Amino acid sequence: MRFPDEDDYRWAGSLKRLWYKIICPFTFGTRLWMVTTSILCALAVMHSANGSWGYHGRAQDTGFLSGDFVNGVRLAWQIDAADAGLDRIDNFRVGDEYIYLVGYKGAQRSVVAFDASYATPRELWRTNVDDEEGVNWWGDDLLVGNTLVSTADGSTRSNWPTPSVRLGDSPYQHPSGAGPRTGAIGPVRLYCPAPSSTPCQAWDKTGTHVWDFDASTGSFPDSVTPLEGWVPLRTWEPSSTGPAMGYTLDELTGFLNLDTGERVGLDAIEEACGPATLEDSEGIPYCRITKKFKHQHLILRASDGWIVGDGIGYIATVAPDGSNPQVMHLDAQASERLLFLRTYPDLGSEQTPTTEQFMHFAATGEASWDSSITVLPGDYDAPISINEETIISTGQSYYGTDTDNPSVWLGNPALSEDSSALFLPHINVALTSSFITKKEWRPLLVDVNAAADATSTAADSDKYAISSYAVPGWENLHMTSATTMFDDLIVGFASPAQAPWYKRLAALSAAPGERIVGLTPAPGPMRSVR
């Protein structure tokens, strides 16, 4: 076969010239092939930017978020209901390496487990569960409704009393009526047949009734990790219907041993009240720490005890069972450091600082941990302080109740080691002011430097919205809930809005519909660290 020369090309017709350009890209068809290649490359880039890249990270949890998230997020993978063999996905939980999806296939509720350490999650097992509401951790296992699911192999156990009523979204509600039950609290879960006359029953994982609890006094155990078997007892308030375990109860009333059911009050603190003893308007002395006030309540778990107080400086450090109290008064700055403190790296209860380390931080600002987050007072805009030096406005309430309280909207945030990226799992992203209140609770991944710069230069805080400083790509996904799984992987529900037809045709948008997604850091140069 002879390739065409200059004369062949000059005397050829239009169709034959086009053929010559196609078969001779380096002579007659240079421009045609350059244009074609550019179009193909552009389409490939557009598709990859909006498609799934796969997860190629280290699958490690060091207690810090990856600082590369400040460059933005990109879609590693997605699982819709059909991918999971379900008609719909209602909930999810993440463990060390596994994702557990809870949903329905027809009328049957199921749990499907995936291993997320691969490029795309691999299904491990699936099991059927009952139709009762609630998805909570119980140690290393999942309590789905009234069924305990082993995360190792999907085997189930369901030999507890069956409640006759369902609870709302919160794993905690004050026991009333017939049949309410809680999620797991340490080694037990509580069933409260009729608290006005019958004690709540504590049942362990084996389905054994181990002890009874009188909830008619208005106190209920907190859902924090037990300390040597003990957890705080707190008052339940009718308005307390926060969405997260541990944030639905009010002031401290005592301590409860979850292993034995033993219950103690605050007598030890009252006897040692000392500097926290004040007088009311009638000159009657009272202990500020144990008195009921509508202020923030400090209950901080240390590795060797609790730090409790009224939120304005009167505090006591106590042993796990509330004994051996040391009462003191802190100035405003020291008190604020402790009230909503989060420490990093977040490695769970095993790495919790001691009471002495917490108190040293409160007094001096010097920490034994690497990084910390605290919340500063503000009527309509409670700023977050990172490492005592970076301040970002949030547009959230400080003195609010229920979901407006920092114990709820701050939740369990994740912070990068260089403090450039901050993940807030449950925050009101709507633009609010002192006159207009809107609610739109969503997770948010924040560019700390951008938010801090805006905070320092904002002329009108009413026009500030923290969602304006989300990292690139986050807002496009319309995340409705999310949690960190690895340093470089965030998992959550995404529900993107329907894109225009021309963007869908050019693969410029993901398919609509809520689904579980895995998000990894977008590539790019790291921004400057504050």
Side-chain angles (χ1 to χ4, degrees):
M1 175 181 178
R2 184 180 68 84
F3 282 97
D5 56 21
E6 291 286 346
D7 291 334
D8 293 329
Y9 183 79
R10 182 181 303 111
W11 299 109
S14 58
L15 290 178
K16 184 170 286 187
R17 282 192 176 190
L18 176 61
W19 170 246
Y20 288 163
K21 289 181 179 181
I22 294 173
I23 65 174
C24 303
F26 301 108
T27 54
F28 310 115
T30 303
R31 183 174 297 176
L32 172 66
W33 277 94
M34 287 176 63
V35 172
T36 303
T37 302
S38 299
I39 293 173
L40 291 174
C41 289
L43 289 174
V45 169
M46 288 189 299
H47 182 270
S48 62
N50 294 277
S52 301
W53 287 77
Y55 175 68
H56 305 288
R58 299 180 301 166
Q60 293 181 355
D61 180 9
T62 66
F64 279 113
L65 193 67
S66 170
D68 291 340
F69 272 117
V70 75
N71 300 315
V73 294
R74 66 179 181 182
L75 187 65
W77 47 257
Q78 59 184 342
I79 305 174
D80 60 21
D83 296 331
L86 301 169
D87 293 331
R88 76 172 196 251
I89 301 173
D90 293 333
N91 214 325
F92 75 96
R93 291 291 185 271
V94 300
D96 292 338
E97 292 185 357
Y98 302 157
I99 304 171
Y100 307 94
L101 307 185
V102 181
Y104 282 85
K105 180 69 173 179
Q108 179 60 60
R109 193 184 192 198
S110 301
V111 179
V112 187
F114 291 86
D115 187 337
S117 61
Y118 295 94
T120 56
R122 299 183 182 181
E123 184 176 329
L124 299 173
W125 50 259
R126 63 178 57 228
T127 190
N128 295 333
V129 295
D130 65 72
D131 202 38
E132 294 296 333
E133 295 185 13
V135 181
N136 303 300
W137 285 107
W138 194 345
D140 295 329
D141 298 321
L142 272 181
L143 182 62
V144 184
N146 207 41
T147 304
L148 185 66
V149 181
S150 169
T151 54
D153 55 12
S155 59
T156 62
R157 179 190 297 123
S158 185
N159 51 342
W160 299 278
T162 301
S164 59
V165 299
R166 294 182 178 179
L167 299 184
D169 293 336
S170 172
Y172 276 113
Q173 282 191 10
H174 186 56
S176 59
R181 82 278 187 262
T182 69
I185 312 173
V188 299
R189 63 187 306 207
L190 295 179
Y191 290 83
C192 304
S196 60
S197 59
T198 305
C200 298
Q201 298 177 351
W203 292 66
D204 66 14
K205 271 189 176 184
T206 67
T208 303
H209 174 205
V210 289
W211 44 266
D212 293 332
F213 175 77
D214 181 9
S216 64
T217 61
S219 296
F220 217 61
D222 204 344
S223 64
V224 297
T225 302
L227 186 58
E228 297 182 12
W230 293 88
V231 295
L233 285 170
R234 302 179 67 179
T235 299
W236 173 84
E237 292 288 346
S239 63
S240 296
T241 55
M245 290 186 72
Y247 303 122
T248 61
L249 304 175
D250 213 327
E251 71 271 355
L252 182 72
T253 61
F255 296 89
L256 175 70
N257 190 302
L258 297 176
D259 297 324
T260 65
E262 180 184 358
R263 180 174 182 168
V264 298
L266 301 177
D267 296 344
I269 297 177
E270 291 179 346
E271 292 174 1
C273 198
T277 301
L278 305 177
E279 291 185 355
D280 62 17
S281 58
E282 299 179 355
I284 300 174
Y286 66 90
C287 184
R288 178 76 189 200
I289 298 173
T290 60
K291 183 76 171 179
K292 182 177 180 179
F293 283 97
K294 290 300 179 182
H295 290 285
Q296 306 291 14
H297 305 287
L298 170 64
I299 304 178
L300 181 60
R301 184 190 186 278
S303 60
D304 57 349
W306 309 91
I307 302 175
V308 300
D310 66 349
I312 59 172
Y314 294 98
I315 71 163
T317 62
V318 298
D321 62 354
S323 63
N324 193 29
Q326 305 294 319
V327 179
M328 65 199 75
H329 182 258
L330 303 179
D331 61 31
Q333 184 180 30
S335 179
E336 292 163 4
R337 283 173 175 152
L338 292 179
L339 192 53
F340 300 111
L341 176 64
R342 306 292 190 267
T343 62
Y344 301 91
D346 183 6
L347 298 175
S349 59
E350 299 301 323
Q351 301 292 326
T352 305
T354 64
T355 53
E356 182 180 356
Q357 290 171 327
F358 277 131
M359 296 308 299
H360 179 75
F361 171 71
T364 66
E366 298 175 356
S368 60
W369 46 87
D370 293 341
S371 298
S372 63
I373 290 176
T374 55
V375 180
L376 305 179
D379 288 340
Y380 300 101
D381 185 6
I384 289 176
S385 173
I386 301 175
N387 296 329
E388 298 273 298
E389 55 186 27
T390 302
I391 306 296
I392 63 173
S393 294
T394 63
Q396 312 298 303
S397 174
Y398 186 80
Y399 297 105
T401 59
D402 300 339
T403 55
D404 289 328
N405 190 274
S407 60
V408 175
W409 61 254
L410 183 61
N412 294 308
L415 181 68
S416 63
E417 190 169 9
D418 60 6
S419 301
S420 62
L422 171 65
F423 174 72
L424 299 168
H426 178 81
I427 194 166
N428 183 16
V429 298
L431 182 64
T432 60
S433 72
S434 57
F435 306 103
I436 302 175
T437 301
K438 298 179 181 179
K439 304 294 181 185
E440 187 181 352
W441 298 99
R442 291 181 180 273
L444 188 65
L445 185 56
V446 180
D447 180 337
V448 172
N449 292 336
D453 290 341
T455 298
S456 63
T457 59
D460 186 351
S461 61
D462 284 353
K463 297 180 181 179
Y464 177 94
I466 191 172
S467 58
S468 302
Y469 306 100
V471 302
W474 181 265
E475 292 293 274
N476 297 337
L477 291 161
H478 298 269
M479 303 296 291
T480 58
S481 65
T483 185
T484 55
M485 185 166 185
F486 305 132
D487 296 353
D488 52 6
L489 182 65
I490 294 174
V491 176
F493 268 125
S495 183
Q498 182 76 39
W501 66 268
Y502 57 87
K503 287 191 175 183
R504 299 197 304 273
L505 183 64
L508 288 173
S509 70
E514 192 167 67
R515 71 259 197 246
I516 300 293
V517 298
L519 305 177
T520 56
M526 286 294 294
R527 304 181 188 182
S528 61
V529 179
R530 269 190 105 74

